[in-house]
Amino acid sequence: MSDLSFVRQQYLNYFKSLDHKIVPSAPLVPENDPSTLFTSAGMQSMIPYFFGAAHPEGKRVANSQKCFRADDIEEVGDNRHTTFFEMLGNWSFGDYFKKEQITFVFNFLVKELKLDPKKLYVSCFSGNKELGIERDNEAAELWQELFQSVGVEAKIIDNPEEAGLQDGKIYFYGEKKNWWSRSGVPVNMPVGEPGGPDSEIFYDFGEQDSDLARAMHAENPCHINCDCGRFLEIGNSVFMQYQKTNSGFVPLAQANIDFGGGLGRILAAYQNQPDVFKTDAFLPLIEKIQSFTSFSYDDQDKQKYFRVIADHMKAAVMLMSDGVFPSSKEQGYVLRRLLRRALRQAAYLEIKQETLVELVPSVVEIYADFYPQLKEQQAKISQVLADEQKKFSRSLSKGLKEFEKMLAQKSLFTAEIAFYLYESFGFPFELSLEEAKNRSLQIEEKIEEKYQSKKTFHSLNSKQGSQAQFKSGLADQGEMTTKYHTVTHLLHAALRQVLGDSVEQKGSNITAERLRFDFSHPKALTAVEKANVESLINEWIKADFEVDKQIMPKSEALKTGAVALFIDKYPDIVNVYSIGKNPSGNKKGEDFISRELCSGPHVERTGVIGEITLTKEKAVADGIRRIYALQKSA
Ligand code: SER
């Protein structure tokens, strides 16, 4: 058994012996929680139980939860940050509280895992008078007794950020460090959100002899929350006992415990190995990568690439195992970003991109004993990866060439260039930015905001017409534009009916003369498909369907089955346009032909449009087709 499996099993066994029910890991994509793309903490699925809902397994549960933190993608490269990790967690829903929790954690680390208590340090909340939340002397004293019970002196120290370590063991920090809620510090919490003070445990790897540590300590003293590499946070007990209201905090009806500890980090402490990439959670991956390249993991210039590839490939496999596949939006986009970043970095180690697929078995080797489904999914995951790699390698060389060409003319890397690279070659924005930084180019100010607004504008412009653009378009061009706008919806619906729901609108452009429409589809339409799409649209036009407009809150609209590709970008109140009530022959049994969130305007009935014809159809980017429609009589 690997040490990874051993530490996980010890934890689960220990909490089982303390009357906890061991519950399975929730999936990496949370169920029924549209507020977040990924599960990033074990407690995410536990929120209702902090408020008193009965957990089906009782008041004490524990698990090892798969987590993914997209925010950390750029952080990967040091010896501790990873995007995918497992979080060991135990919860008390109004059952045991502070005293038991602190004792449980201490005993698990010191008695079960036999970590040296001299290497453990803890932090507690220093309190906040304005919020009416007291300094957590109780936690500090509990820790002190426990350390003393194993013969370790445990001094309590205030203000460690300025005062430094001072031979202490227990340190008081403010809410930036010792308060936990899903939205961070108290002032950022929305009304209704639960949170509370917490107490963290750190492992000491000893003073670091590195340039980073020296630079950091030239100005500031070392303390347990310092990032010099000496201390690693390995667990956090949250005393989940408050709820934010309009007028400050009130106690929850029950006091809860939410403990989370990174399994990979506890393992690093267990193996006394400050580099998590050298522990059992990563070693098979690092060794495999090592076998592909003549560079060494210990080569300081190259280490980062080993770590990024290992982390991203592992995360990608785990995400795919939970049903995420590369695409251009949401979870699929994050996965694509991870994969393309890993594939790009392979070049820096002189590894062929296609070789990275061979890392899949190493991930399976690390996790298959606890996640047996990985073995069954291995072949499929490898296939998806190989496909994505092929797609990317085709666009990569073209994209890089284009990149160089554009940059030969400009020394400034702009949002416009990034958007072009994305649109034409599928370069994720973050990757382009990284390429630009690697070439020490000047980066346009606020590039990310500008890029996002370009993307949004482009999408909305094609999807629903930015209001201003459409209005001015109409004033100039009269009713033909409105007709073509309605045809856009019919065309989208017909393409989905003929080619399947994987078709998504990617853009459109309307003039008085014609409609241009971009959509996702891997290959050219056959003559039969194109004829079918055209005849469906004309059938719907002839049927003279009513175009119905309803105004409703976005949340309601999404429940109606309306197509909405840019959910975050719509206002809270939206128009929902439906065409064709109760049509016969809708394969999915829906009571409409087309339903989309859209700012309009549209014709009132499809009959006014007149017969249309589909003309050119061609590729505009990898997986994106462009088709033109015009009205026969126009
Ligand atoms: N919710 C806390 C954390 O994520 C402890 O589980 O750190």
Side-chain angles (χ1 to χ4, degrees):
M1 187 191 270
S2 69
D3 281 353
L4 176 77
S5 302
F6 174 77
V7 171
R8 189 198 293 115
Q9 208 48 55
Q10 286 289 105
Y11 178 82
L12 297 177
N13 288 348
Y14 177 66
F15 278 91
K16 201 167 161 189
S17 77
L18 295 169
D19 297 327
H20 288 65
K21 284 275 163 36
I22 309 304
V23 297
S25 172
L28 282 168
V29 176
E31 284 161 334
N32 309 321
D33 182 1
S35 66
T36 172
L37 288 181
F38 298 104
T39 299
S40 60
M43 54 77 79
Q44 232 160 278
S45 58
M46 305 292 174
I47 296 282
Y49 314 118
F50 297 142
F51 289 105
H55 191 290
E57 298 284 5
K59 291 181 173 212
R60 295 179 176 210
V61 302
N63 78 358
S64 178
Q65 171 63 50
K66 291 180 273 188
C67 298
F68 177 77
R69 291 191 176 170
D71 287 352
D72 282 346
I73 291 181
E74 312 286 335
E75 304 285 327
V76 178
D78 64 11
N79 68 359
R80 55 189 64 194
H81 277 94
T82 63
T83 54
F84 168 84
F85 60 97
E86 282 177 276
M87 192 185 268
L88 299 176
N90 61 271
W91 294 274
S92 154
F93 306 122
D95 190 24
Y96 60 85
F97 199 50
K98 203 173 288 183
K99 181 171 179 3
E100 293 86 343
Q101 172 59 20
I102 288 179
T103 313
F104 292 166
V105 180
F106 186 86
N107 285 345
F108 170 64
L109 296 173
V110 173
K111 308 231 160 103
E112 302 293 316
L113 289 188
K114 308 208 171 1
L115 297 188
D116 179 354
K118 288 198 204 71
K119 293 192 172 172
L120 296 178
Y121 290 75
V122 298
S123 64
C124 300
F125 184 48
S126 58
N128 181 324
K129 286 211 178 79
E130 259 169 63
L131 300 176
I133 294 174
E134 298 201 342
R135 174 184 160 96
D136 201 350
N137 287 325
E138 186 190 351
E141 281 159 22
L142 287 164
W143 284 117
Q144 196 168 42
E145 278 168 32
L146 285 162
F147 277 112
Q148 282 165 359
S149 73
V150 291
V152 176
E153 197 205 340
K155 255 197 338 203
I156 300 175
I157 306 285
D158 273 301
N159 199 13
E161 278 147 305
E162 276 165 29
L165 287 167
Q166 298 187 80
D167 294 326
K169 206 34 83 188
I170 299 158
Y171 296 88
F172 275 107
Y173 287 87
E175 60 230 26
K176 279 204 186 122
K177 300 288 182 204
N178 282 93
W179 177 273
W180 207 91
S181 80
R182 288 183 298 180
S183 29
V185 291
V187 35
N188 288 344
M189 290 168 64
V191 167
E193 185 66 19
D198 66 24
S199 181
E200 297 187 319
I201 312 147
F202 296 78
Y203 186 82
D204 181 6
F205 287 108
E207 269 179 56
Q208 300 295 294
D209 178 24
S210 68
D211 292 344
L212 173 76
R214 272 186 292 278
M216 291 183 85
H217 299 143
E219 307 248 314
N220 300 302
C222 189
H223 58 104
I224 58 175
N225 268 306
C226 168
D227 287 326
C228 71
R230 173 169 177 183
F231 295 99
L232 181 68
E233 187 237 308
I234 58 170
N236 183 16
S237 300
V238 183
F239 310 119
M240 193 55 94
Q241 62 188 126
Y242 296 105
Q243 183 177 24
K244 177 119 173 222
T245 69
N246 275 321
S247 53
F249 282 92
V250 294
L252 287 167
Q254 63 187 41
N256 309 283
I257 290 294
D258 161 30
F259 171 82
L263 171 58
R265 291 177 168 210
I266 298 178
L267 173 67
Y270 179 72
Q271 297 192 325
N272 199 24
Q273 170 52 268
D275 182 355
V276 298
F277 293 91
K278 284 190 170 173
T279 66
D280 287 356
F282 276 100
L283 208 52
L285 275 162
I286 296 291
E287 281 172 351
K288 197 59 172 268
I289 299 169
Q290 185 70 83
S291 75
F292 301 146
T293 177
S294 53
F295 295 109
S296 160
Y297 177 74
D298 294 321
D299 178 347
Q300 293 303 310
D301 291 346
K302 299 289 176 189
Q303 201 164 55
K304 179 174 177 209
Y305 306 125
F306 281 85
R307 289 171 173 168
V308 169
I309 294 171
D311 171 80
H312 289 13
M313 292 300 290
K314 182 203 265 196
V317 170
M318 300 311 280
L319 285 168
M320 286 193 261
S321 154
D322 271 359
V324 181
F325 290 98
S327 77
S328 58
K329 54 178 194 166
E330 298 176 344
Q331 288 95 348
Y333 174 72
V334 176
L335 171 60
R336 172 162 283 167
R337 211 177 123 190
L338 276 177
L339 284 174
R340 294 191 167 191
R341 192 159 186 254
L343 290 165
R344 175 71 185 118
Q345 310 233 337
Y348 304 140
L349 296 177
E350 292 171 12
I351 298 173
K352 282 209 185 98
Q353 279 190 14
E354 52 267 38
T355 310
L356 292 198
V357 177
E358 292 173 36
L359 294 174
V360 176
S362 310
V363 183
V364 176
E365 178 191 331
I366 297 170
Y367 290 110
D369 63 340
F370 199 64
Y371 304 105
Q373 77 275 15
L374 276 173
K375 272 221 165 85
E376 292 152 35
Q377 298 165 323
Q378 183 170 341
K380 174 153 190 226
I381 290 174
S382 300
Q383 188 56 51
V384 174
L385 252 166
D387 290 348
E388 180 68 10
Q389 182 270 319
K390 277 191 206 116
K391 254 193 218 156
F392 184 55
S393 88
R394 271 199 303 271
S395 57
L396 180 69
S397 49
K398 273 196 241 158
L400 284 178
K401 238 185 246 154
E402 196 70 13
F403 204 93
E404 303 298 345
K405 215 163 73 195
M406 295 182 87
L407 297 172
Q409 291 151 12
K410 294 183 182 183
S411 59
L412 184 69
F413 183 72
T414 61
E416 197 176 335
I417 302 179
F419 187 65
Y420 172 74
L421 289 168
Y422 173 71
E423 275 282 292
S424 311
F425 304 104
F427 264 48
F429 168 72
E430 299 76 7
L431 189 61
S432 296
L433 196 62
E434 209 166 311
E435 296 291 336
K437 284 184 184 157
N438 285 345
R439 290 166 173 76
S440 308
L441 294 170
Q442 207 187 326
I443 314 267
E444 182 182 23
E445 258 180 55
K446 299 202 174 151
I447 187 167
E448 180 152 12
E449 283 164 40
K450 288 182 187 159
Y451 173 84
Q452 287 307 344
S453 77
K454 254 185 202 311
K455 209 167 149 196
T456 310
F457 180 75
H458 181 84
S459 320
L460 292 181
N461 184 18
S462 45
K463 178 86 192 122
Q464 59 171 34
S466 91
Q467 295 244 358
Q469 238 221 321
F470 246 107
K471 276 186 189 135
S472 70
L474 278 180
D476 294 348
Q477 294 158 0
E479 68 176 55
M480 213 37 233
T481 321
T482 312
K483 287 184 183 172
Y484 277 136
H485 190 196
T486 305
V487 176
T488 311
H489 287 214
L490 295 176
L491 174 57
H492 194 193
L495 285 166
R496 287 165 75 100
Q497 197 146 321
V498 173
L499 305 174
D501 279 350
S502 60
V503 167
E504 270 171 13
Q505 179 171 345
K506 292 292 174 196
S508 80
N509 175 287
I510 299 169
T511 69
E513 283 75 41
R514 54 101 181 107
L515 154 67
R516 193 182 82 195
F517 186 85
D518 295 348
F519 61 102
S520 56
H521 193 57
K523 49 185 191 295
L525 265 60
T526 63
V528 174
E529 284 168 342
K530 196 168 150 192
N532 284 343
V533 172
E534 187 178 289
S535 74
L536 262 179
I537 299 171
N538 284 323
E539 205 180 285
W540 294 337
I541 290 173
K542 227 159 134 200
D544 194 21
F545 285 129
E546 183 192 347
V547 180
D548 173 62
K549 173 180 162 184
Q550 304 274 345
I551 301 173
M552 60 180 92
K554 179 167 71 176
S555 53
E556 293 279 297
L558 296 176
K559 286 186 210 148
T560 66
V563 174
L565 293 185
F566 309 99
I567 293 168
D568 295 342
K569 307 292 182 237
Y570 292 103
D572 290 340
I573 303 291
V574 293
N575 298 329
V576 175
Y577 281 93
S578 305
I579 306 177
K581 275 198 194 131
N582 306 315
S584 57
N586 182 319
K587 280 190 288 197
K588 287 187 291 176
E590 288 158 341
D591 64 351
F592 51 85
I593 281 165
S594 153
R595 178 169 286 167
E596 298 200 25
L597 264 65
C598 179
S599 63
H602 284 281
V603 298
E604 284 179 12
R605 304 193 69 87
T606 57
V608 302
I609 297 173
E611 194 177 350
I612 64 106
T613 174
L614 296 177
T615 58
K616 263 186 300 184
E617 194 260 341
K618 60 177 187 179
V620 274
D622 191 28
I624 312 276
R625 313 290 307 174
R626 173 166 291 175
I627 194 163
Y628 291 83
L630 45 101
Q631 195 169 1
K632 275 190 171 166
S633 55

